[in-house]
Amino acid sequence: QSYPDMLSGGEQQRLAIASAIVHKPELILADEPTGNLDAATGEEILTLLKNLVKNEGATLFMATHSKDAAALGDQIVEIKDGHILERNDAV
């Protein structure tokens, strides 16, 4: 038996993502969803989130420093020091 404080940061993050999406929510709020994950697992999570948006009609609102993760967005807003630097609609 494992308790949350016995899990690594990546394991905790994967558990949080699984818990958040198990009921197929209409809105997913994700703060650095790949931040504590290795590259391969991060790609799997991004693919999962992309599929939820595409196939289940979910809306994903994500805060990230990752350009790869941001590339999933239909709309990207870059913010620095509380100010909007750039706003782009994806092609």
Side-chain angles (χ1 to χ4, degrees):
Q1 182 173 359
S2 294
Y3 296 98
D5 62 343
M6 298 172 70
L7 301 173
S8 72
E11 290 169 329
Q12 290 177 21
Q13 192 157 15
R14 289 191 294 274
L15 179 61
I17 290 168
S19 297
I21 64 174
V22 71
H23 297 290
K24 298 183 181 176
E26 293 179 25
L27 174 64
I28 302 165
L29 302 175
D31 183 9
E32 294 289 351
T34 60
N36 291 320
L37 305 176
D38 60 83
T41 305
E43 281 294 319
E44 289 177 15
I45 295 301
L46 292 177
T47 299
L48 176 66
L49 292 172
K50 182 178 179 179
N51 287 337
L52 278 170
V53 169
K54 182 179 179 183
N55 300 328
E56 303 295 333
T59 297
L60 173 63
F61 187 91
M62 176 172 39
T64 185
H65 290 93
S66 165
K67 300 250 185 227
D68 291 336
L72 286 178
D74 293 327
Q75 192 174 86
I76 300 168
V77 179
E78 186 176 349
I79 300 172
K80 183 174 182 179
D81 298 329
H83 295 86
I84 294 175
L85 297 180
E86 189 171 349
R87 183 178 179 144
N88 298 315
D89 291 334
V91 204

